[in-house]
Amino acid sequence: MTVEGETRNPEEAAGLRRELRFWEAIALSIAIMAPTAAMALNGTVPAQLVGRAVPLAFIFATVGVIFVSYAFIRLSGYFSHAGSVYAFSGITLGPRAGFFSGWALLGTYLAFTAASTAEAGLFGVAFFQGSGIWDGAEWLVIALVAGALIAFFAYGDIRVATRSLLGLEGISVILIVVLIVIIFVKLIAGTAPQDQGITADIFKVPSGTSLDTVATAAVFGFLSFAGFEGAASLGEETNDPTRNIPRAIGTAVLVAGGFYIVCIIAQTWGFGTDPAGVKAFGESSAPLGDLSKDYVGSALSDLINFGAMVSAFASGLGTATAGSRILFALSRDGFGSRRLGQASRRTGAPAGALAVVMTIGLSAVVIQRIVGTSAANAFFYPGTIGVLSLLVAYIVTNIGALRFLFVAARRAPLWQIVIPLIAIAFLGYTIYKNIEGTSFPYDRFPYVVAAWLVIGIAITIAFPALTRSIGASLARSEGLAQEPGGA
């Protein structure tokens, strides 16, 4: 497609290619969630809140995400579209809701790309300094190298990218599994460093701790699943998508949930469930690294940091891949330049959209370094912004699923209506807990997200031709609607 006044570039004049299989689609969801990086950071705050009951909080989070994922699993069984929530919400609720939802998710992936590259720098410094390879390691340099490699792989053949994602995350997960096995063996054998032991108390709410506090801790568990819907953006590139995409999303949630729960149990038992152990867990800046040193030695600790760096890189590759598909879909339907809605004829990647995503993401990283932001905060700041925007997109998608499955027509058993209703309540509570009682600068981030969302709304109002174009395009996309294959 071209617009008046633009010249067609033969390198960017093709559409996306349908060539991925189930396991290649699931790789994107798993990579964006970045299980290794999530487990390297996300257990400490829950430990501060609920003590030894951190596994209980992650079990609650997993159940909540299963409810949230229902809408994506069912809708991707009917619609296969590169725009993911943009198409789901647009077809079920209308073009304005679709653009708003896609705009929210685009904001998420832009923020996540910045966060993941900064996280690669964070763990890269830990690895290079811990191993003695580079004592004066600079996180920005590592992040920029990671960004360049992300752009290289994301621009290439999507099959190579997805296989790389699965392989990279697989390596880092294997390292954690080795640590988990060693921890369990030493606990069972009674040879733990501080005589830690196995106890079922991790599944009980500690005395004096309210259920609201446990629910608050579960919010941090939920954040570990952010991006589980990533496979939906490969709807136009996956074979038999109405069967494989729902399976990919559902499998990613269940596999990640199981891994998180087992890993958090190992961390909780590994540090110990007594007050000293709980305190050590809550105050640890690198719980997996600390456990590696205690139970194995510094060599495994360095490997874990290397695995976390690789996991962060894989997450950045996943978010850049998914984000470029969202922008590609929006631009193909009339938003911005039509060039951004074209894919490379040589590789099949949306090259223009990818360039925009990477430019914004890496610019955010560089700006944060210039103003003196630490590597950890350069991850947490855009990560928090991205999650808030993501939760909004999730809510809109679940509302669309309610209408499509139960109101506009009866496409699912009526009793299942409680699933998206619970999901919406869970998401709303998660947003509330991400806003309530936060301190600077986190108390400013909701305003940043609100401004981004208001811009999205303003675009649909100021450019009615865009809304009509989106409506017409999504109406054509309804031709993709089929009987859900295994949804």
Side-chain angles (χ1 to χ4, degrees):
M1 280 188 291
T2 60
V3 295
E4 186 176 352
E6 292 184 339
T7 303
R8 180 185 293 269
N9 183 343
E11 171 67 12
E12 297 178 359
L16 300 174
R17 300 172 183 172
R18 192 177 297 282
E19 55 190 356
L20 300 179
R21 289 170 286 183
F22 161 73
W23 63 271
E24 293 168 322
I26 195 177
L28 190 62
S29 286
I30 292 177
I32 294 175
M33 288 188 288
T36 303
M39 288 297 92
L41 291 174
N42 290 357
T44 55
V45 175
Q48 297 170 17
L49 293 171
V50 296
R52 64 175 185 267
V54 178
L56 185 62
F58 270 79
I59 290 172
F60 286 169
T62 301
V63 173
V65 173
I66 290 173
F67 280 103
V68 174
S69 67
Y70 170 86
F72 291 88
I73 293 171
R74 293 307 302 259
L75 292 177
S76 61
Y78 287 93
F79 307 108
S80 307
H81 197 283
S84 181
V85 301
Y86 160 59
F88 296 159
S89 302
I91 293 173
T92 58
L93 298 174
R96 283 195 172 90
F99 182 86
F100 175 78
S101 187
W103 182 258
L105 191 60
L106 175 62
T108 292
Y109 287 142
L110 291 172
F112 278 5
T113 300
S116 295
T117 50
E119 189 179 26
L122 170 66
F123 286 113
V125 168
F127 167 69
F128 286 117
Q129 290 185 345
S131 61
I133 296 174
W134 182 11
D135 290 334
E138 165 57 50
W139 72 264
L140 178 62
V141 174
I142 299 171
L144 292 178
V145 171
L149 291 174
I150 287 169
F152 173 78
F153 279 103
Y155 175 69
D157 190 322
I158 184 63
R159 291 172 297 180
V160 174
T162 53
R163 292 168 186 174
S164 299
L165 289 171
L166 202 58
L168 291 172
E169 194 62 48
I171 292 171
S172 54
V173 167
I174 288 173
L175 293 173
I176 293 180
V177 170
V178 170
L179 174 61
I180 291 173
V181 170
I182 293 173
I183 290 174
F184 284 162
V185 168
K186 290 196 172 185
L187 289 171
I188 294 171
T191 57
Q194 303 297 326
D195 295 325
Q196 296 94 330
I198 294 175
T199 173
D201 288 345
I202 59 175
F203 303 113
K204 299 177 183 178
V205 179
S207 177
T209 302
S210 66
L211 286 176
D212 179 70
T213 303
V214 177
T216 302
V219 167
F220 292 90
F222 173 79
L223 300 184
S224 302
F225 290 89
F228 72 82
E229 82 301 329
S233 65
L234 299 178
E236 295 179 36
E237 298 167 86
T238 304
N239 295 319
D240 195 7
T242 55
R243 179 173 182 268
N244 284 328
I245 297 299
R247 289 172 59 214
I249 294 173
T251 303
V253 169
L254 295 176
V255 170
F259 174 73
Y260 290 158
I261 292 170
V262 172
C263 188
I264 285 296
I265 289 174
Q267 291 185 58
T268 305
W269 281 341
F271 279 103
T273 57
D274 60 349
V278 170
K279 184 174 184 292
F281 189 7
E283 293 180 352
S284 175
S285 60
L288 292 177
D290 291 342
L291 289 172
S292 298
K293 290 179 182 177
D294 291 342
Y295 281 81
V296 183
S298 58
L300 182 59
S301 177
D302 292 337
L303 288 175
I304 292 289
N305 285 328
F306 175 79
M309 177 182 68
V310 169
S311 178
F313 167 79
S315 179
L317 178 54
T319 58
T321 299
S324 64
R325 267 65 180 174
I326 299 291
L327 181 56
F328 166 85
L330 292 172
S331 301
R332 183 178 58 185
D333 292 346
F335 171 69
S337 171
R338 293 281 187 179
R339 290 181 182 275
L340 301 181
Q342 297 169 353
S344 167
R345 187 177 296 278
R346 184 166 62 88
T347 68
L354 175 64
V356 171
V357 170
M358 292 306 304
T359 298
I360 294 175
L362 293 181
S363 295
V365 172
V366 172
I367 290 171
Q368 289 187 96
R369 182 64 183 89
I370 290 174
V371 300
T373 306
S374 68
N377 286 334
F379 162 72
F380 282 117
Y381 291 170
T384 302
I385 291 171
V387 165
L388 289 172
S389 191
L390 181 70
L391 294 171
V392 174
Y394 283 178
I395 288 176
V396 176
T397 302
N398 272 270
I399 293 173
L402 274 173
R403 183 178 184 277
F404 181 75
L405 297 173
F406 305 104
V407 178
R410 186 65 53 80
R411 295 183 171 91
L414 186 58
W415 66 267
Q416 293 183 9
I417 194 172
V418 301
I419 299 177
L421 289 173
I422 292 174
I424 292 169
F426 181 79
L427 292 167
Y429 180 82
T430 304
I431 291 177
Y432 169 72
K433 282 299 180 180
N434 271 272
I435 296 175
E436 183 242 357
T438 54
S439 58
F440 181 84
Y442 291 92
D443 59 346
R444 301 293 190 269
F445 295 157
Y447 296 104
V448 175
V449 175
W452 174 262
L453 297 177
V454 167
I455 291 172
I457 294 173
I459 289 172
T460 64
I461 296 174
F463 301 98
L466 171 61
T467 303
R468 291 193 296 270
S469 175
I470 291 173
S473 177
L474 292 179
R476 291 192 299 271
S477 296
E478 287 196 71
L480 297 173
Q482 307 172 26
E483 287 300 313

